[in-house]
């Protein structure tokens, strides 16, 4: 069905996944009020089901080898922003440093607000999946998930938990917050995996 | 681009509200109603096959295949500019099935709606649903200009609404309209000991500021937010 009078501007760019448009701003889309978290009070806790396996704080994280990634980010609400620069520690590196092997194939990642989103262990351990503390060389602002945000750049951005503070290894894959509201369990932008069903 | 869950739709009404807002109504084929607060994606298709899709809050009453959207003109916005400058009655688009199960009207506790600018859009749908039940609610709307107080005369008349409009960039002397930006004193007369369901929608900065204020006052209430843009 052609819309009369619409000519559009072709996003002639193979970096744009299907159904996305290029956005130069950095939209904020949260379903809840923004928490204010001080870095000195931040912890990341790692669980297997209910069992706590490890807990690290900011002092430990900031002294780990820094990873810098520059990636295109794709939001399920259709915007894509190119070349976003994040710095932090890769999840894989963190686990090496604390000498912990991932015990299952499935994780639920979470925020201090109670937000959750599932990420398969293999995706969490990709080189470009990082626990980020800076965006464009500045601390991540609270509304964008700071001080610490998980960045999973190859999936839709709802998979990158803001105010990141937990990893729970699960025995099987389960949906988190948005997945339980009808979003796709995996969320690959190149396959347009926005919603379930 | 996957448009499998999209419906053929035709513009049946277009109203330019001011230089930033217009309201467009579509007749949508095979529409199965929506839950107040949900949004849809509107897809425009050019002759060369190029498509542009953007999400918009549904701003009309449920249980009707006439579906309305409040569209804010975005600078260099591909879809909003089309609707503002070129669209005409009879134009055809695709509209997705309703989406979203989080920012929807729960209708379990006393509702409070807080909005700025085009953030009134989801509350146009929620209010219509509550009006049908004659259920009471409170509506706060901040607009830069008087003409941006969408649905002002209807909201002012309905007996089940406690309506608080604010205009921040015009000097008017109109009874019942406030002129200051949001602050905690706007909620002084609401009993915070009663559990409410509070919905906040608008620009990122407005939602950030409002939710900071509201969460300190309404400790027992649930707060839901929806933000437009950066």
């Amino acid at each position: 069905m052609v819309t009369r009078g619409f000519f559009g501007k072709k996003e002639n760019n193979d970096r744009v996944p299907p159904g996305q448009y290029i956005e130069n701003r950095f939209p904020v889309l949260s379903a809840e009020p923004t928490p204010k978290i001080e870095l000195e009070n931040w912890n990341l806790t790692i669980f297997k089901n209910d069992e706590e396996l490890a807990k690290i704080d900011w002092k430990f994280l900031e002294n780990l080898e820094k990873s810098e990634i520059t990636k295109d980010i794709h939001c399920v609400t259709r915007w894509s922003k190119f070349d976003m620069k994040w710095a932090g520690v890769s999840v894989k590196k963190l686990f090496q440093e604390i000498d912990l092997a991932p015990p299952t194939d499935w994780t639920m990642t979470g925020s201090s607000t109670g937000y959750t989103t599932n990420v398969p262990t293999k995706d969490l351990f990709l080189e470009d999946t990082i626990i980020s503390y800076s965006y464009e060389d500045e601390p991540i602002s609270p509304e964008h998930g700071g001080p610490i945000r998980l960045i999973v750049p190859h999936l839709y951005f709802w998979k990158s938990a803001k105010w990141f503070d937990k990893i729970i290894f699960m025995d099987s894959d389960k949906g988190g917050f948005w997945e339980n509201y009808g979003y796709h369990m995996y969320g690959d932008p190149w396959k347009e995996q926005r919603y379930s069903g | 681009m996957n448009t499998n869950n999209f419906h053929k739709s035709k513009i049946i009404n277009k109203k330019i509200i001011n230089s930033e807002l217009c309201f467009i109504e579509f007749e949508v084929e095979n529409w199965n109603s929506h839950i107040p607060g949900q949004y849809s994606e509107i897809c425009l298709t050019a002759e060369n096959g190029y498509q542009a899709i953007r999400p918009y809050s549904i701003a009309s009453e449920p249980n009707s295949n006439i579906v309305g959207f409040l569209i804010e003109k975005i600078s260099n916005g591909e879809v909003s500019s089309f609707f503002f400058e070129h669209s005409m009655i009879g134009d055809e688009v695709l509209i997705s099935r309703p989406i979203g199960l989080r920012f929807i009207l729960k209708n379990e506790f006393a509702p409070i709606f807080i909005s700025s600018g085009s953030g009134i859009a989801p509350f146009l749908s929620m209010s219509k649903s509550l009006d049908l039940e004659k259920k009471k609610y409170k509506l706060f709307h901040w607009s830069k200009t008087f003409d941006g107080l969408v649905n002002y005369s209807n909201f002012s008349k309905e007996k089940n609404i406690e309506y608080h409009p604010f205009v921040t960039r015009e000097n008017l002397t109109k009874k019942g309209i406030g002129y200051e930006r949001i602050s905690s004193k706007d909620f002084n007369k609401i009993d915070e000991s009663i559990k409410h369901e509070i919905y906040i929608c608008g620009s990122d900065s407005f939602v950030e500021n409002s939710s900071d204020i509201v969460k300190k006052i309404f400790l027992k209430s649930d707060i839901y937010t929806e933000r437009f843009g950066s």
Side-chain angles (χ1 to χ4, degrees), chain A residues 26-35 75 77 79 111 113 115 141-146 149 157-158 160-163 177-178, chain B residues 102-103 200-204 207-208 211 223-229:
Chain A
F26 187 2
V28 175
L29 295 147
S30 305
E32 54 203 332
T34 300
C75 180
T77 61
W79 62 263
S111 306
T113 56
Y115 178 83
S141 61
E143 61 270 22
H144 283 302
R149 181 173 189 167
F157 212 31
W158 90 73
S160 295
K162 293 180 178 180
W163 317 301
F177 181 85
W178 284 121
Chain B
R102 168 70 179 170
F103 194 81
I200 307 174
C201 184
S203 67
D204 173 45
V207 171
E208 193 67 30
S211 53
I223 301 171
Y224 306 93
T225 65
E226 186 152 282
R227 302 170 191 238
F228 293 173

Side-chain angles (χ1 to χ4, degrees), chain B residues 152-171:
Chain B
Y152 169 82
S153 49
N154 286 339
F155 284 142
S156 302
K157 282 186 289 200
E158 290 286 346
K159 290 189 171 32
N160 57 310
I161 309 174
E162 192 184 297
Y163 178 47
H164 302 274
F166 296 82
V167 172
T168 56
R169 293 198 193 168
E170 282 178 341
N171 288 322

